[in-house]
Amino acid sequence: MEILWFLIALCMLTAVIGPFVLRRRSGIHLVAPGSPDAADPDTYGFLRQEELDIRLPGPDQDLLDVLDVVQRTQDWRAASQLLAGTAREGEVRWQRVQAFAGAASLELQQQPGAGGAWLRAWRLDSPKDAGGAAVFAEFLVQQAWRSSAAGTDDFLIILEEARTACGEAALLAPGDPIPYIVELAVARGLGYSHEQFDQVWAKIIDRAPEHMGAYLAALHYWCEKWHGSREEADHFATTAAARAPQGSLLAALPLFAVYEHLPEVNLVQGFYRSAVVTKAMEGALFAVHAARPDDPMLAHVRHLLILFLVRSERWAEAMNQLVHVDGHVGALPWTMSEDPAATYTIHRNLAVAGYEANGGSPATLPH
C-alpha cells in the first residue's frame, strides 16, 4: 500500500514540475514583472487581459451592437431583425443564436427571476418568429448545462423542455438546420441512442452538409466521456476531414477530437509532439491556410491551434495565429476555464516569451 501511495505522489509531483522543467530546458524562464528580460505582449499590439472580449471567438460588430441595444432597452425586435437578415444555412446565424441565448442565460443567472426578460417577451409577443424560437431552444439548453448537474432531475426536465422547443422551432423554419443542431446538445444530455442521434444528424446533413458548428456539436456526443469512444470520435472526425472539400475547415476536426480526449494529467514526455497530435495540428494548419479569410469558424480553429502550438513549443507558428485572433477569447479551449481571459493570456505570454527566446521580435512577425 505504501508503494502505491508513493507512486501516486510521484506522478502528481511529475505533473506539477514537468512543464517548468521543460521550459527551463527550452531556454524560457519566469522572471519578475518589469525585468529587462520580461517579454512584453504590448509591443505586439495585443490587448490587455482586462480588455479581452470573452463573449465571441472573433469580431461581429453587428451582433455586439444589437446585443447592446437589446440589453439596454430590453426590446427584442433588433435581435429578431438581425437573425431574419442572416442566412439560415451559414455558421454566422448559429453563432448569433448562441450569443443571444447565452446573453439571456447569463442575465438570468445574475438576476434570478428577472434577467433575460426580453427573450421571454420575444416568445410571447411573436410566437411564430423562427429566430426567437431557435434562440429560446438554445437558451433552455444553456440553462440546463449552466444551472444543473448533468443527470439530475432538474437537468433532465429542462432538456425535455428544450427538446420540445427544438421541435417547435423546426416547424417554424423547415429548411433551417439550427433547431436540429441545438438538439444535438439535448441528445447528449438525455442520452439518445446512436440510432436516435443518427436521425437528428441526417436532418442536419440534408440542410447544411458542411456546417462546422454542427460537426463540433456532434463530436461531443461521440466522445468517450459521453456516448461514444475515443475510436468513434476519431473516426467521425477523420471521416469528415477526408471528405471535406477544398477550403473547408472540417479538415481541422481531428484536432478537436484530440482535444476532447486530452489526458487530465499528461506524464508522457513529448505528448504534444507525438505523431497523432502533430498530424492533427498539421491538418488544422492546412485548413486555416486554405480557408476563406472571412470564414466565421476560422477563429475557432486558430484558438485551438494556439493551445497546441504553445504546448508543443512551436512559438513562431503560435504567434502567427495570435495576431489574427487577439482581442476575442470566446472559444475553446479558453471557455472551459473559469477565467477564459486569464488562461488565454498565460498561453499568449508563453508564446511571446518562447518567440523572443529564439530570436523573434515584433519586426520579424508577419501580419
Side-chain angles (χ1 to χ4, degrees):
M1 189 67 179
E2 289 79 4
I3 294 176
L4 177 61
W5 282 113
F6 172 76
L7 290 174
I8 293 173
L10 181 61
C11 289
M12 293 178 66
L13 182 62
T14 304
V16 171
I17 68 172
F20 295 99
V21 172
L22 288 174
R23 283 181 211 153
R24 284 192 171 276
R25 290 178 61 187
S26 63
I28 301 174
H29 308 278
L30 297 176
V31 296
S35 165
D37 295 324
D40 185 4
D42 289 344
T43 62
Y44 295 88
F46 295 148
L47 294 184
R48 295 181 179 180
Q49 179 177 325
E50 61 272 18
E51 297 173 327
L52 296 170
D53 191 324
I54 64 173
R55 296 170 295 178
L56 301 173
D60 185 345
Q61 196 57 50
D62 289 341
L63 171 62
L64 293 178
D65 290 343
V66 168
L67 263 176
D68 178 64
V69 170
V70 169
Q71 293 185 307
R72 180 164 38 84
T73 66
Q74 291 295 296
D75 189 334
W76 53 268
R77 289 175 178 80
S80 176
Q81 291 171 2
L82 181 66
L83 287 182
T86 307
R88 281 184 179 179
E89 67 281 0
E91 307 281 356
V92 173
R93 181 179 173 85
W94 170 229
Q95 292 187 18
R96 288 174 173 176
V97 165
Q98 288 182 298
F100 285 130
S105 179
L106 186 58
E107 280 185 35
L108 185 59
Q109 183 182 50
Q110 295 171 341
Q111 306 171 53
W118 55 269
L119 179 54
R120 293 191 292 276
W122 190 354
R123 292 297 294 134
L124 289 171
D125 297 344
S126 187
K128 296 194 180 298
D129 186 322
V135 172
F136 183 66
E138 172 65 13
F139 164 79
L140 290 172
V141 167
Q142 293 197 26
Q143 275 298 102
W145 293 98
R146 188 191 301 271
S147 62
S148 308
T152 62
D153 288 344
D154 287 346
F155 176 82
L156 297 175
I157 289 170
I158 298 173
L159 282 187
E160 287 288 358
E161 187 179 354
R163 173 155 57 179
T164 300
C166 288
E168 294 171 353
L171 289 174
L172 291 171
D176 191 348
I178 289 181
Y180 300 105
I181 299 175
V182 176
E183 192 176 353
L184 294 178
V186 176
R188 179 160 51 100
L190 292 182
Y192 280 23
S193 68
H194 289 184
E195 291 74 18
Q196 289 175 301
F197 183 89
D198 286 340
Q199 289 173 7
V200 178
W201 183 243
K203 294 174 182 177
I204 296 171
I205 294 301
D206 184 54
R207 291 161 175 78
E210 298 170 22
H211 199 292
M212 179 74 169
Y215 274 90
L216 291 176
L219 180 62
H220 289 308
Y221 175 90
W222 291 112
C223 286
E224 189 175 57
K225 58 190 172 187
W226 288 106
H227 307 292
S229 65
R230 187 184 301 264
E231 292 73 24
E232 286 173 306
D234 181 67
H235 175 73
F236 177 79
T238 54
T239 300
R243 294 174 179 173
Q246 178 69 24
S248 171
L249 285 167
L250 288 176
L253 204 61
L255 187 64
F256 286 86
V258 170
Y259 172 75
E260 290 295 334
H261 294 92
L262 286 179
E264 291 185 11
V265 178
N266 173 34
L267 301 178
V268 181
Q269 187 176 13
F271 171 79
Y272 288 93
R273 297 181 182 180
S274 65
V276 171
V277 175
T278 299
K279 182 179 179 181
M281 281 197 292
E282 294 303 330
L285 286 166
F286 170 81
V288 165
H289 178 73
R292 302 189 327 269
D294 63 345
D295 191 313
M297 294 301 292
L298 188 53
H300 288 269
V301 180
R302 291 190 189 278
H303 278 293
L304 191 63
L305 267 170
I306 290 167
L307 173 81
F308 281 92
L309 290 169
V310 167
R311 293 189 179 181
S312 61
E313 300 183 3
R314 294 167 64 167
W315 312 117
E317 291 169 288
M319 292 294 289
N320 286 336
Q321 302 305 319
L322 282 162
V323 297
H324 286 95
V325 300
D326 193 74
H328 298 83
V329 295
L332 286 176
W334 325 123
T335 50
M336 297 304 293
S337 165
E338 292 185 3
D339 191 340
T343 305
Y344 167 83
T345 301
I346 289 171
H347 283 78
R348 186 182 67 185
N349 290 350
L350 283 171
V352 171
Y355 183 62
E356 293 186 353
N358 288 276
S361 71
T364 60
L365 183 66
H367 285 73

